[in-house]
Amino acid sequence: MKELAGRLTALDPDAGAAVRVIAYFDRLSEARAGLEALVRGAAVLAGVPARLVDAERRVQVRVEADGTRRDSGVPPDPGWPTTALAPGGAAALWLERAEAAPSVVDAVILERAAGAVRLVLDRTRGRAPVDDPALVETVLDATAPEAARLHAARGLGLEPTASARALAPLGGRPRIAAGRADAVLPAGRVGVGPAVPVLDLPRSWGDARTALRFTAEGTAQDPGPKIVYADELGGVALLADLVAPGAEPPPDVRALEAAGAATPWLLGTLHAVVSTASLRAAAAEINVHHSTLQDRLSHAEHLLGWPLRTPQGRLRLQLALTMRHLARS
């Protein structure tokens, strides 16, 4: 390999350097080098700091170009050369090169280092628990035998004593997240189950599906959170058993729908009123003057038929907005 690199260098310096990079990381892999050694190799070869960020596994390693480890809490710059550890994954290796476009050698460093890092993470910390839909389905199936669920969990890199959450994306396949769920949340509306031991994940999955019903699109006509954590719902979760999807909505929900259809700003305004600490905060949330909000509330009270500026009226409004999500989901 050394002789080949020398010959290629005479013909094409980039090609020769790329071969040396490949040989370097092959040697590190054969020696079963750890994460820091691999990131250090990328930094030294590239001549700029390198960092590994895998939020799901709570791994962050940053090494300066001189080989000194110096982690940083500043997020990576999207403009830096980078490669994901797995297709579509959030975990990635970065080269902190901002002053010039990435070279061919940078690309080879990232590709070879990321591959070696991925093998170390799989070997030492388990695979990201989102890989195999069939295994995920088995782990979340309360009717599956316990032995089958444990076997599937191990296939996903989850130990029996691990803590994990079930994720219920709208229109997407079920997922399981170990560690911080917010690091691996898919786009769109998602219900997040509570963190539980692996064998309790069917319960987390049920709670995640309930939480999904409380989510919204976050638009003017469907205001509300796109992500809802089941363990933050408390007693409000009981409403899910009282309002069946597709059934005739309660009268207050029908009043909201009629008022919202006639007044485009109404639903967003009312959501701001129940989700902020004060009317002034609500006015700031929707970027209107406090007096304008007062006028809007007077109009909304006329349309809905109950007061909105009393504690009881705000509670009634909050319940109506919540039941509106549950009735349509």
Side-chain angles (χ1 to χ4, degrees):
M1 183 69 77
K2 184 176 181 180
E3 181 182 353
L4 175 61
R7 291 179 179 178
L8 285 174
T9 300
L11 299 173
D12 184 338
D14 281 348
V19 170
R20 284 193 293 272
V21 167
I22 293 171
Y24 178 83
F25 283 108
D26 283 349
R27 289 195 300 271
L28 287 181
S29 295
E30 290 171 3
R32 298 175 74 84
L35 295 176
E36 185 173 334
L38 292 169
V39 177
R40 179 176 293 108
V44 171
L45 289 173
V48 295
R51 71 168 74 184
L52 164 66
V53 179
D54 187 341
E56 183 180 354
R57 291 170 168 129
R58 301 184 183 182
V59 173
Q60 181 164 286
V61 179
R62 180 181 180 276
V63 179
E64 298 279 0
D66 63 2
T68 303
R69 177 162 179 172
R70 187 171 292 116
D71 293 338
S72 170
V74 179
D77 186 324
W80 291 342
T82 183
T83 189
L85 299 189
L93 185 68
W94 305 76
L95 295 179
E96 299 182 10
R97 189 187 302 284
E99 71 279 4
S103 65
V104 172
V105 176
D106 282 346
V108 176
I109 290 171
L110 286 169
E111 191 273 333
R112 300 301 290 190
V117 164
R118 182 171 58 250
L119 291 176
V120 172
L121 286 171
D122 288 349
R123 184 176 75 243
T124 61
R125 309 196 182 205
R127 291 181 293 140
V130 294
D131 296 336
D132 189 322
L135 293 179
V136 171
E137 181 179 339
T138 300
V139 171
L140 300 180
D141 185 359
T143 66
E146 181 176 303
R149 285 189 281 131
L150 285 174
H151 180 75
R154 290 192 180 96
L156 294 169
L158 293 170
E159 292 300 321
T161 57
S163 179
R165 296 175 183 264
L167 309 180
L170 179 67
R173 60 180 177 84
R175 298 180 65 176
I176 299 172
R180 290 177 52 203
D182 56 352
V184 293
L185 287 175
R189 291 167 50 193
V190 185
V192 183
V196 296
V198 165
L199 285 177
D200 287 339
L201 278 169
R203 174 172 63 84
S204 183
W205 170 237
D207 291 346
R209 286 182 293 170
T210 297
L212 176 63
R213 295 184 59 201
F214 288 86
T215 63
E217 293 294 337
T219 62
Q221 292 307 307
D222 190 21
K226 288 187 175 183
I227 299 167
V228 172
Y229 286 76
D231 44 13
E232 296 179 358
L233 287 172
V236 176
L238 297 175
L239 288 175
D241 295 329
L242 303 177
V243 183
E248 179 69 15
D252 283 357
V253 174
R254 295 200 299 271
L256 271 178
E257 294 289 7
T263 313
W265 52 256
L266 184 132
L267 293 172
T269 298
L270 297 183
H271 172 72
V273 167
V274 300
S275 61
T276 55
S278 68
L279 292 183
R280 290 197 178 277
E285 177 75 18
I286 57 176
N287 198 29
V288 300
H289 193 271
H290 182 257
S291 61
T292 301
L293 177 61
Q294 294 288 357
D295 292 340
R296 287 188 176 188
L297 287 179
S298 296
H299 185 61
E301 288 172 338
H302 173 73
L303 292 175
L304 295 175
W306 76 80
L308 301 176
R309 284 167 279 198
T310 65
Q312 296 85 354
R314 282 167 60 97
L315 175 60
R316 182 175 177 181
L317 174 61
Q318 188 163 16
L319 289 173
L321 288 168
T322 300
M323 290 189 294
R324 179 174 180 263
H325 296 320
L326 296 172
R328 61 91 200 270
S329 57

